[in-house]
Amino acid sequence: MPKIVDHDERRLELVDATWRIIARQGLESATMREIATEAGFANGALKPYFPTKDTLLEFAFSHVFNRTNQRIAGVTAGKTGLEALRAFCLEVLPLDEERVNEARIVVPFWQRAINDPQKAAIHQQSMDEWLGAIRRFLAEARESGDVAAAVDDSILAGQLLNMLLGAQIEAALAPEGEKDFGHAAQLEGYLALLGTISGRK
């Protein structure tokens, strides 16, 4: 009886192999042959799932984004306002090896997206989703009195998202072994300012 192949599981195995190689060796080392070897597949076995390296990179970015969103959903469940916003940001910031490796997938994806409208659209959709969540948490915090900044929440959300993305770039480009960038403390400083900019203490 022929073996039943779970194609979705195979795709995820290939994506996991891709981001392990990129995290260790960089994007250019993630050849289709290297990815197949890492995943334990024959080289030709990748073609039915990902005809090109670009399609695999797009899937890898979406996979990393979805993994982050699953963690965010878990840590923000039952929370609102600044508490939810803090939890959201701590899952995006590269505070451990797993999240630093995720940043090493995201940064080369951005590089490709500069000249690739399809990748740029994937990125924009992802960022719009995050901005929507950040604005929602800010609105809840403002309603409860925890945000007093006399700045529109859309501007505050953009500032915060840029801080999170900048942290990913810093971690992805850091020398081997460097881990503590002070990102958690920077986040706390930013959140504290939200309640004091217009005089609230």
Side-chain angles (χ1 to χ4, degrees):
M1 189 172 182
K3 182 180 178 181
I4 298 174
V5 177
D6 186 330
H7 295 291
D8 289 337
E9 184 178 340
R10 277 208 162 182
R11 283 190 186 88
L12 289 179
E13 288 172 1
L14 291 169
V15 168
D16 282 339
T18 301
W19 80 272
R20 287 197 302 269
I21 291 173
I22 293 176
R24 286 199 312 263
Q25 302 165 218
L27 177 63
E28 297 311 315
S29 296
T31 64
M32 297 298 269
R33 183 177 300 277
E34 285 283 344
I35 292 164
T37 301
E38 179 81 13
F41 295 163
N43 190 36
L46 274 68
K47 288 289 183 184
Y49 301 100
F50 302 105
T52 67
K53 184 176 171 179
D54 260 10
T55 58
L56 182 51
L57 183 60
E58 287 178 9
F59 201 94
F61 173 84
S62 297
H63 180 58
V64 166
F65 183 73
N66 290 336
R67 280 163 55 110
T68 305
N69 281 346
Q70 287 171 3
R71 293 198 306 267
I72 288 171
V75 299
T76 59
K79 297 182 176 71
T80 60
L82 280 190
E83 185 184 15
L85 185 60
R86 178 181 288 105
F88 174 100
C89 293
L90 289 174
E91 284 307 319
V92 177
L93 287 173
L95 300 178
D96 57 24
E97 185 176 358
E98 179 183 9
R99 283 171 284 179
V100 170
N101 285 339
E102 289 175 351
R104 289 175 179 151
I105 289 282
V106 170
V107 171
F109 180 87
W110 290 337
Q111 182 183 2
R112 294 291 183 94
I114 291 172
N115 297 309
D116 186 328
Q118 182 170 328
K119 289 182 180 58
I122 292 170
H123 166 74
Q124 191 59 55
Q125 181 180 353
S126 304
M127 295 305 99
D128 287 346
E129 186 176 332
W130 277 4
L131 278 170
I134 292 171
R135 284 195 294 265
R136 184 173 72 253
F137 296 143
L138 282 169
E140 292 168 353
R142 193 177 290 280
E143 187 175 348
S144 68
D146 289 328
V147 169
V151 180
D152 186 87
D153 285 351
S154 292
I155 294 174
L156 294 176
Q159 289 176 331
L160 186 52
L161 181 61
N162 286 336
M163 186 179 86
L164 298 175
L165 301 185
Q168 290 185 316
I169 294 171
E170 182 178 29
L173 298 179
E176 185 70 26
E178 188 172 342
K179 295 179 180 179
D180 187 4
F181 307 99
H183 293 150
Q186 292 166 16
L187 172 64
E188 290 305 319
Y190 180 84
L191 295 180
L193 284 174
L194 295 180
T196 61
I197 290 175
S198 65
R200 179 180 171 82
K201 296 183 179 179

